[in-house]
Amino acid sequence: MREKLLIANWKMNFSVIESSKKSRQLEVLFEDKLQNRMQNKKNKSDVKIIICPNYLSLKSVHDILGGKLYLGVQSITHLSESEGAFTGEISGALVREFAEFAIIGHSERRNMLMETNSEISEKLLFCSKNNIRPILCLGENQETRSNDSHLTYVINQLRNSVSDFKEWGSLIVAYEPVWAIGTGVACEPEDAVQMIRTIRKELKIISGSDLIPVLYGGSVSSSNIGVLIDSGDIDGALIGTSSMNPLEFHEIINICTKMWGK
Ligand code: 13P
């Protein structure tokens, strides 16, 4: 059975104090699930909950949620796997003290910071070297979807990003159509499923594995998560806006654990 994951991407939000406050709220809301995890209880609806705060807040969030929920970062540098003269950069080796996951190739970085597939493939390798599980983001913009070339576009993104990658057991993929991010309008479930099936088929060809989890991201909320995961093809979600409200994030997780537990 494929792993199930629900990931909070807090993006460039929350001061250290605010991040700590949100973390304490999550700690209270997830008390029952935390106990399950700490007692190592396993059941069908087990889901990994991962919080990705900004770098500055990571240690404070770790102080509260470390060992309870999982933590991730929103990027790592492609310049070095460890340390060195790279002013302003943060490496996988540095974040590994607090985080087990890293979002790689988010469209906001691809588009606003001109991050390339070759940099992304470098970052994936540095994740492997530092024992960090990468959450590789893929997704087309509105123009590519209107041209009906989105399937080919995303598969090319995938191929170019994983060209040298080998740690298939660690990989998580997130399909995030750019036009659905932060708009309040998610992809239609059947369109998301079509893309995710296509990605899974390609991953099987490249890696030989059909166990790599593929998530959906883009305007996920408690009102659409049920229809999105209903077909069983989508293994979870990468969530921005709705993850910043602990009550809403908790509600999304409750809906998923109920549906996956059936
Ligand atoms: P929204 O949930 O705000 O659309 O953001 C999605 C996203 O970019 C997660 O990485």
Side-chain angles (χ1 to χ4, degrees):
M1 209 172 88
R2 288 189 309 268
E3 241 180 326
K4 302 284 186 278
L5 304 108
L6 292 162
I7 306 174
N9 178 5
W10 285 356
K11 306 194 179 183
M12 198 182 73
N13 291 291
F14 303 147
S15 67
V16 173
I17 290 175
E18 285 166 335
S19 299
S20 301
K21 201 170 144 204
K22 299 273 174 193
S23 301
R24 282 196 205 91
Q25 284 174 276
L26 289 172
E27 191 185 24
V28 172
L29 285 166
F30 285 98
E31 205 168 12
D32 53 334
K33 293 187 180 64
L34 300 182
Q35 277 165 3
N36 276 351
R37 188 185 163 200
M38 291 175 95
Q39 290 161 15
N40 228 357
K41 280 192 199 156
K42 288 253 170 276
N43 58 45
K44 233 176 118 190
S45 61
D46 261 355
V47 45
K48 283 198 173 70
I49 301 163
I50 304 163
I51 311 295
C52 303
N54 60 58
Y55 289 131
L56 206 57
S57 300
L58 181 62
K59 183 184 178 304
S60 308
V61 174
H62 183 268
D63 287 347
I64 298 164
L65 293 175
K68 298 172 181 170
L69 300 183
Y70 294 91
L71 298 187
V73 288
Q74 299 168 18
S75 179
I76 57 166
T77 186
H78 66 284
L79 297 176
S80 163
E81 69 179 84
S82 54
E83 294 177 48
F86 303 99
T87 303
E89 292 298 286
I90 304 271
S91 68
L94 293 179
V95 298
R96 186 60 187 89
E97 199 177 342
F98 305 112
E100 292 167 70
F101 296 82
I103 298 172
I104 302 292
H106 193 283
S107 61
E108 284 153 14
R109 300 190 59 85
R110 290 178 189 261
N111 298 335
M112 293 188 259
L113 296 164
M114 308 303 151
E115 212 168 78
T116 63
N117 282 325
S118 110
E119 286 166 3
I120 288 160
S121 80
E122 205 83 65
K123 290 180 184 211
L124 289 179
L125 296 185
F126 290 164
C127 281
S128 299
K129 294 223 161 128
N130 287 294
N131 200 20
I132 290 173
R133 294 189 61 187
I135 302 152
L136 171 65
C137 300
L138 307 170
E140 80 287 355
N141 63 18
Q142 184 64 68
E143 195 189 341
T144 308
R145 181 156 279 261
S146 311
N147 293 339
D148 210 20
S149 48
H150 49 292
L151 294 173
T152 322
Y153 179 87
V154 168
I155 292 309
N156 279 334
Q157 264 188 330
L158 172 63
R159 285 183 187 150
N160 293 328
S161 307
V162 300
S163 46
D164 299 315
F165 191 74
K166 296 207 171 50
E167 298 291 325
W168 302 111
S170 75
L171 185 66
I172 299 152
V173 174
Y175 168 56
E176 295 206 304
V178 177
W179 47 270
I181 294 178
T183 59
V185 183
C187 188
E188 289 299 328
E190 51 276 23
D191 293 336
V193 165
Q194 181 196 32
M195 178 64 85
I196 281 172
R197 284 187 183 156
T198 308
I199 293 172
R200 182 162 294 125
K201 208 164 132 201
E202 184 65 22
L203 280 169
K204 171 84 176 162
I205 296 168
I206 304 173
S207 72
S209 168
D210 46 19
L211 289 177
I212 298 167
V214 187
L215 320 181
Y216 168 79
S219 296
V220 169
S221 70
S222 59
S223 29
N224 59 27
I225 189 68
V227 287
L228 281 163
I229 64 166
D230 193 42
S231 74
D233 289 286
I234 302 183
D235 303 318
L238 178 53
I239 310 165
T241 314
S242 300
S243 76
M244 293 183 231
N245 172 348
L247 280 172
E248 168 72 354
F249 187 53
H250 183 247
E251 179 59 15
I252 293 173
I253 287 159
N254 275 345
I255 294 169
C256 291
T257 45
K258 267 191 211 130
M259 288 179 70
W260 285 328
K262 276 185 193 155

